[in-house]
Amino acid sequence: MGDVTVTQQRPTATAVHPLEPLSAEEITTAVGLLREAGHVGDRARFVSVVLREPPKSEVLAFDDTGAACTREVAAVVLDKADGRTYEATVSLTDSAVTRWEHVTDVQPQVMLEEFFEAEEVVKTDPQVQEALRKRGITEFDGVMVDPWSAGHYGDEEGGRLLRALVWIKIGGPDDNGYAHPVENLVVYVDTNHNRVAKIEDHGIVPVPRQPANYTPDVVAPRADLRPLEITQAGGPSFTVDGHEVRWQRWRFRVGFTPREGVVLHTVRYTDGERERSVLYRASLSEMVVPYGDPAPTHRRKNAFDAGEYNIGTLANPLELGCDCLGEIHYFDGVINDGDGTPVTIPNAVCLHEEDYGLLWKHTDFRTEKTEVRRSRRLVISFIATVGNYEYGFFWYLYQDGNIEFEVKLTGIMSTGVVPPGTTPTHGQLLSTEGLYAPIHQHVFNMRLDFDVDGTANSVYEIDTETDPPGPDNPIGNGFRTRATLLGTEQAAQRRVSLDRARYWKVVNPSARNAVGEPTGYALKPQGTVVPFVQPDASVMKRAGFMAHHLWVTPHEPGEMHAAGRYPNQHQGGEGLPKWTAADRSVEDTDLVVWYTFGSHHAARLEDWPVMPVQYVGFSLHPVGFFDRNPALDVPRPTNGHCG
């Protein structure tokens, strides 16, 4: 991508950008071509129908010259008649199916329709109803089922399985069912045949009855909160053309996929007369929620919310004044249902500006003159509901070249029950009836395809070291940074070190700043977790990316997801651990940085019944990318309150 002038030739306004998400019409066309080719039977279900992104070289050529790219669709199809999974490629340009391949020994993501089907199967099963009667539950309308992926443990019946856990809505349809868990009852559902495959009953524990509702009709709102209005009389500072956004010095594209949710493409910053590349593609690669409770109901709670559930399909339609405030531009999310019919999630992605306090300030105390600038950031976000939890995913772009990614975690904790009078060993008691929330983690992995001033980059680990005592350090105050090149995949498997104030810097060895150093961007760790499960635990094998905070691989289009293409019911070993075993070079090449971070959630009473937002994330800072503060030209505040 490199340095180019702002006046370079641009594609014509009528050309479809090769990274433009699929439209509803394109999804319909692709599904129609698969049906016409005879590949799709009556029981076939479309797990995903997404844009097959062209090679990076073709996208960059389009951005520079408008050179045409073939428009293709990638589809994953599950045939429920025989349980086989197929991958297909459809050329919209040529109106043809160019690939149809059976992928053996995999289970694709759980579809939303299977959530509802599993609940109905569980509620109507006679053996489940009998187990509920033993617990004093005789009305089954209030049965609430959360379907968890069965994972891979080697002792379940074969087939496509969901591990259904049960709660009860005692007080009607609006009751908070998570206050009333049915402990020790685990139901395995065969979703290909819509039947109960197996029931585990590990013993009766009384179902808690105390309500824990949280709506205004139950919890009276406080009355001392005055209105806070956010207005932009002149409108927003950003412009949107299709899915391309320009704001301040930034230009990028917004993508959306069923598996990842929001994707940022071709992120660039205009520096004087040059438009400079920073990131080619940035997205959520995978996430996993390992629970630390070995009790029968909870020991296999290890949800891969991207790879098992397609978190983008669970995005909320956002509402003005609730999820976002200000002058807002929304992007719809266009996905597909199991029939292959396009489904539009209205307002799936929110784009808006926020005031963010001080940008920079200095007062010359000798002259009593002050210069102050306020920071403004651009926010790109979506929120997904995955069963009991809500995840808000937020990208922030700043006027000084900083980029941040933040996850906001809220919703309701997944609950269990111990006998009254018992204290849970692996969780926090929430009521005197034995209701508790197990300890768990939320672990995220981001795929960051860096293009710092071009595609050839290297990664350095930056540690701070204390100088040894001696003549060069006479009073013992010396400390400095040390940079270590991470030249291969194995060398680049790293963990955060607080003792060394460690961070990592992605540089372009061929691009130099004003003092002759390579231009670069630093990845600054913020939300840091380490795994506490045993090294041979199933979840550790399946989510091997948890072993390191940093991974670096050479750019390879097929390597997109940290736990592999199909983690659902997989035995593990796929993804980053498998790819990096080759120990390929990652020096002065087109590379991808993978960053693992998360939230360590030891539950507390204040998290019940709905959890206040927890924040985790990381930031990307220009380090020698600019020759001086790039935000010097931000104007003084003009709101009438700053003199």
Side-chain angles (χ1 to χ4, degrees), residues 114-190:
E114 292 177 307
F115 278 51
F116 299 108
E117 291 168 353
E119 182 167 272
E120 190 61 25
V121 166
V122 171
K123 289 172 67 170
T124 57
D125 183 80
Q127 294 183 66
V128 173
Q129 291 181 350
E130 180 59 28
L132 293 174
R133 288 190 188 96
K134 291 178 181 178
R135 292 163 167 82
I137 300 165
T138 58
E139 297 293 332
F140 308 121
D141 289 344
V143 171
M144 187 178 91
V145 174
D146 275 7
W148 294 69
S149 169
H152 188 278
Y153 300 90
D155 59 351
E156 290 85 9
E157 298 183 17
R160 183 170 172 82
L161 299 176
L162 285 175
R163 188 172 181 269
L165 304 182
V166 181
W167 288 262
I168 302 293
K169 288 177 175 265
I170 292 177
D174 294 326
D175 186 43
N176 178 7
Y178 294 108
H180 319 295
V182 180
E183 188 71 14
N184 287 340
L185 182 61
V186 182
V187 185
Y188 287 85
V189 177
D190 177 346

Side-chain angles (χ1 to χ4, degrees), residues 250 278 396 398 400-405 450 452 503-507 519-526 618-626 630:
W250 293 103
V278 178
Y396 303 119
Y398 293 86
D400 59 358
N402 285 348
I403 302 172
E404 288 184 350
F405 183 77
F450 277 95
V452 177
Y503 64 94
W504 298 280
K505 184 166 65 173
V506 182
V507 305
T519 60
Y521 256 79
L523 191 164
K524 296 291 186 74
Q526 292 173 8
F618 62 92
S619 60
L620 306 176
H621 295 185
V623 179
F625 187 79
F626 301 105

Side-chain angles (χ1 to χ4, degrees), residues 378-427:
L378 187 69
V379 186
I380 310 100
S381 64
F382 85 102
I383 300 172
T385 298
V386 189
N388 54 297
Y389 256 103
E390 266 76 20
Y391 296 98
F393 299 93
F394 289 73
W395 283 103
Y396 303 119
L397 302 183
Y398 293 86
Q399 294 158 304
D400 59 358
N402 285 348
I403 302 172
E404 288 184 350
F405 183 77
E406 182 177 69
V407 184
K408 299 181 181 181
L409 302 93
T410 181
I412 300 177
M413 296 181 294
S414 187
T415 52
V417 193
V418 293
T422 303
T423 299
T425 304
H426 298 87

Side-chain angles (χ1 to χ4, degrees), residues 78-237:
L78 172 65
D79 190 339
K80 291 207 167 190
D82 57 15
R84 291 188 172 190
T85 299
Y86 297 89
E87 292 181 355
T89 303
V90 180
S91 171
L92 296 175
T93 303
D94 300 327
S95 298
V97 178
T98 58
R99 175 175 174 250
W100 177 261
E101 182 178 345
H102 173 216
V103 186
T104 60
D105 301 322
V106 302
Q107 288 292 345
Q109 291 90 349
V110 179
M111 291 173 282
L112 187 58
E113 64 187 47
E114 292 177 307
F115 278 51
F116 299 108
E117 291 168 353
E119 182 167 272
E120 190 61 25
V121 166
V122 171
K123 289 172 67 170
T124 57
D125 183 80
Q127 294 183 66
V128 173
Q129 291 181 350
E130 180 59 28
L132 293 174
R133 288 190 188 96
K134 291 178 181 178
R135 292 163 167 82
I137 300 165
T138 58
E139 297 293 332
F140 308 121
D141 289 344
V143 171
M144 187 178 91
V145 174
D146 275 7
W148 294 69
S149 169
H152 188 278
Y153 300 90
D155 59 351
E156 290 85 9
E157 298 183 17
R160 183 170 172 82
L161 299 176
L162 285 175
R163 188 172 181 269
L165 304 182
V166 181
W167 288 262
I168 302 293
K169 288 177 175 265
I170 292 177
D174 294 326
D175 186 43
N176 178 7
Y178 294 108
H180 319 295
V182 180
E183 188 71 14
N184 287 340
L185 182 61
V186 182
V187 185
Y188 287 85
V189 177
D190 177 346
T191 61
N192 279 344
H193 301 94
N194 282 344
R195 67 179 184 90
V196 170
K198 181 173 66 172
I199 297 176
E200 295 178 358
D201 193 334
H202 298 277
I204 296 172
V205 180
V207 176
R209 296 283 172 171
Q210 182 178 339
N213 296 321
Y214 47 85
T215 52
D217 57 317
V218 176
V219 181
R222 61 183 66 179
D224 58 351
L225 198 63
R226 300 293 180 258
L228 176 64
E229 302 294 338
I230 299 174
T231 61
Q232 291 180 268
S237 301

Side-chain angles (χ1 to χ4, degrees), residues 391-505:
Y391 296 98
F393 299 93
F394 289 73
W395 283 103
Y396 303 119
L397 302 183
Y398 293 86
Q399 294 158 304
D400 59 358
N402 285 348
I403 302 172
E404 288 184 350
F405 183 77
E406 182 177 69
V407 184
K408 299 181 181 181
L409 302 93
T410 181
I412 300 177
M413 296 181 294
S414 187
T415 52
V417 193
V418 293
T422 303
T423 299
T425 304
H426 298 87
Q428 170 62 50
L429 200 63
L430 301 175
S431 81
T432 56
E433 294 180 295
L435 182 73
Y436 79 104
I439 189 171
H440 59 281
Q441 295 178 315
H442 304 261
V443 187
F444 307 89
N445 182 273
M446 301 297 293
R447 183 181 184 274
L448 304 170
D449 185 347
F450 277 95
D451 278 358
V452 177
D453 273 334
T455 56
N457 291 171
S458 297
V459 179
Y460 285 84
E461 182 167 274
I462 312 299
D463 285 344
T464 296
E465 297 180 337
T466 300
D467 289 354
D472 294 332
N473 188 22
I475 64 171
N477 68 302
F479 56 95
R480 69 183 76 183
T481 60
R482 176 174 58 85
T484 303
L485 175 66
L486 305 179
T488 68
E489 291 178 293
Q490 293 289 314
Q493 295 177 3
R494 308 299 296 166
R495 278 196 174 188
V496 170
S497 173
L498 295 180
D499 290 343
R500 294 174 174 85
R502 178 173 293 165
Y503 64 94
W504 298 280
K505 184 166 65 173

